Amino acid sequence: MSLEKYSIVIPVRTMEGNPYLENILDALAKQTYRPEAVHLVVGDKRQGRAINYGVQQVLTKYIGTVDDDTEIDDPKLYEKLIKAMEADVSIGMGGAACPIPEHASNFQKKAIKEIPRRFFPVQYKNIDSDIVQHPCLVMPTKLFRAIDGEDEELIRGLDPVLRQKVRDAGKRVTVIADTWVYHLIPDSFVKLLIMYYRNGRGSGFAGKYYPEKILELTDGCKKDIFKKKRSLFYRILRRFLRLFSSLLKLKSLKFSTDIAYSAGVIKERMHPDYVLEPPEIEEIKMREKKNYPYKLFVHDVFLKEKNKN
């Protein structure tokens, strides 16, 4: 079976000191069906804009995104993803499951099991799911452009918006059978709290300025029902009930991350630090790195100094 070509876009905050990036590039090189090109968009603080810019450079039928801390150990991952997309045109966004790797620490395993949406087992058949996320997703390039791509206004929480755009276009969002990647959380209690506090700030920013973009999340498999919105009262009540449930069930990490997340939401709603306008781009320089079995382009983004967020 002859497969259509695909390209990968990876938004990267910084290439220096990134412990995952070379492993990602090596894993892509070892794929049984390798990408035609990989675009690293380095330095843009708005993930959506970075991905949109990367896709502008793509000439292939399919595009995929990978986070710069994704782990890939299946050499047939993209062969499976592209085959599934080719076989079923109703799928507008395909992605991989997110199980717990054997090399995860005991702390990481405990946290992943306690905290919702961090774990999703490998599936035996294609299943429509909210677990399709930026750490590993594939879309037809034409569809991505038709729905105006990623949201460039949000700081975090882009996944639900992109999924909803795909569904509004009449396409399915699907975890592909027998696929997986790993997306580990920090191996430190303090770093974990910082991550959820930061995520809460991103949610607080969205709630303050773009409440219409606060969309519902599910664990991925609730009778194929994906509710788009919940009221603010419902979300607040649910968060209190979940906190109480975590205490009763002695899920200390879930309780702690919920508190950190809520603190981030309140902080950004009451005393915002993030600027509403995205940081302006001064220039983007492109360079090609050799010695890879695909074309590897690095797009260095230089932001204007006056923007700090």
Side-chain angles (χ1 to χ4, degrees):
M1 178 181 178
S2 178
L3 297 178
E4 292 285 350
K5 294 180 179 180
Y6 71 100
S7 300
I8 298 292
V9 176
I10 308 177
V12 182
R13 290 299 294 268
T14 178
M15 293 183 68
E16 294 184 6
N18 187 312
Y20 298 97
L21 193 54
E22 279 302 325
N23 289 336
I24 294 170
L25 298 177
D26 184 57
L28 293 174
K30 292 177 180 176
Q31 290 293 300
T32 54
Y33 186 56
R34 291 193 291 262
E36 179 176 88
V38 176
H39 296 269
L40 305 180
V41 185
V42 184
D44 196 344
K45 297 181 180 181
R46 291 290 171 102
Q47 181 189 29
R49 184 171 62 185
I51 294 173
N52 286 341
Y53 173 81
V55 175
Q56 288 174 14
Q57 320 308 312
V58 167
L59 300 175
T60 52
K61 180 177 179 179
Y62 293 100
I63 60 100
T65 70
V66 174
D67 279 356
D68 65 356
D69 59 352
T70 298
E71 295 183 54
I72 301 171
D73 70 353
D74 178 12
K76 292 187 176 182
L77 173 64
Y78 283 95
E79 179 182 343
K80 297 171 188 175
L81 289 170
I82 299 299
K83 277 184 177 179
M85 301 289 288
E86 288 281 280
D88 188 347
V89 296
S90 72
I91 300 175
M93 182 192 296
C98 195
I100 304 174
E102 291 184 5
H103 64 267
S105 70
N106 289 334
F107 174 81
Q108 289 170 320
K109 290 176 180 177
K110 174 179 171 61
I112 291 170
K113 288 177 182 177
E114 282 192 19
I115 302 171
R117 298 179 53 78
R118 303 302 312 189
F119 168 73
F120 196 76
V122 177
Q123 300 296 301
Y124 296 102
K125 63 179 182 179
N126 296 345
I127 181 168
D128 289 359
S129 172
D130 271 348
I131 298 300
V132 181
Q133 302 175 93
H134 286 99
C136 178
L137 64 82
V138 172
M139 292 180 62
T141 307
K142 185 176 180 180
L143 173 63
F144 183 91
R145 291 171 176 160
I147 62 175
D148 296 325
E150 299 279 2
D151 187 283
E152 296 190 5
E153 295 174 321
L154 295 179
I155 294 171
R156 292 184 177 85
L158 279 71
D159 296 290
V161 175
L162 186 61
R163 287 192 297 264
Q164 192 58 50
K165 284 184 175 183
V166 171
R167 291 183 179 129
D168 288 345
K171 297 293 185 177
R172 294 163 56 208
V173 178
T174 305
V175 169
I176 304 303
D178 193 32
T179 65
W180 66 91
V181 296
Y182 306 124
H183 197 227
L184 284 174
I185 57 177
D187 190 15
S188 157
F189 179 68
V190 172
K191 289 181 179 179
L192 181 65
L193 294 187
I194 291 172
M195 183 182 83
Y196 273 88
Y197 176 75
R198 179 198 66 194
N199 291 346
R201 285 185 60 206
S203 179
F205 172 85
K208 185 177 182 68
Y209 297 112
Y210 306 104
E212 74 280 3
K213 296 179 183 180
I214 300 291
L215 303 179
E216 182 72 357
L217 295 173
T218 72
D219 61 3
C221 301
K222 292 188 175 178
K223 301 179 181 178
D224 295 329
I225 296 173
F226 301 95
K227 190 172 181 64
K228 185 175 180 178
K229 295 282 290 182
R230 295 285 192 184
S231 69
L232 177 61
F233 174 78
Y234 180 95
R235 298 199 310 271
I236 293 173
L237 178 61
R238 178 173 60 186
R239 185 156 295 278
F240 276 112
L241 290 175
R242 286 176 175 175
L243 282 170
F244 184 66
S245 174
S246 298
L247 279 176
L248 287 180
K249 296 177 181 179
L250 302 179
K251 292 184 176 181
S252 58
L253 294 180
K254 182 179 183 302
F255 178 80
S256 300
T257 53
D258 276 347
I259 290 292
Y261 185 93
S262 299
V265 171
I266 294 169
K267 193 272 176 197
E268 200 61 33
R269 292 293 291 263
M270 302 295 292
H271 302 287
D273 281 335
Y274 287 128
V275 296
L276 183 59
E277 293 297 323
E280 293 183 54
I281 295 175
E282 189 167 296
E283 66 174 322
I284 300 176
K285 295 182 179 180
M286 189 272 286
R287 52 195 167 96
E288 184 174 357
K289 295 188 73 173
K290 303 295 185 180
N291 302 319
Y292 288 89
Y294 45 75
K295 295 177 181 178
L296 177 59
F297 299 101
V298 180
H299 307 270
D300 292 304
V301 180
F302 296 90
L303 304 174
K304 291 187 177 180
E305 289 297 326
K306 66 178 181 179
N307 293 284
K308 296 182 179 181
N309 294 298

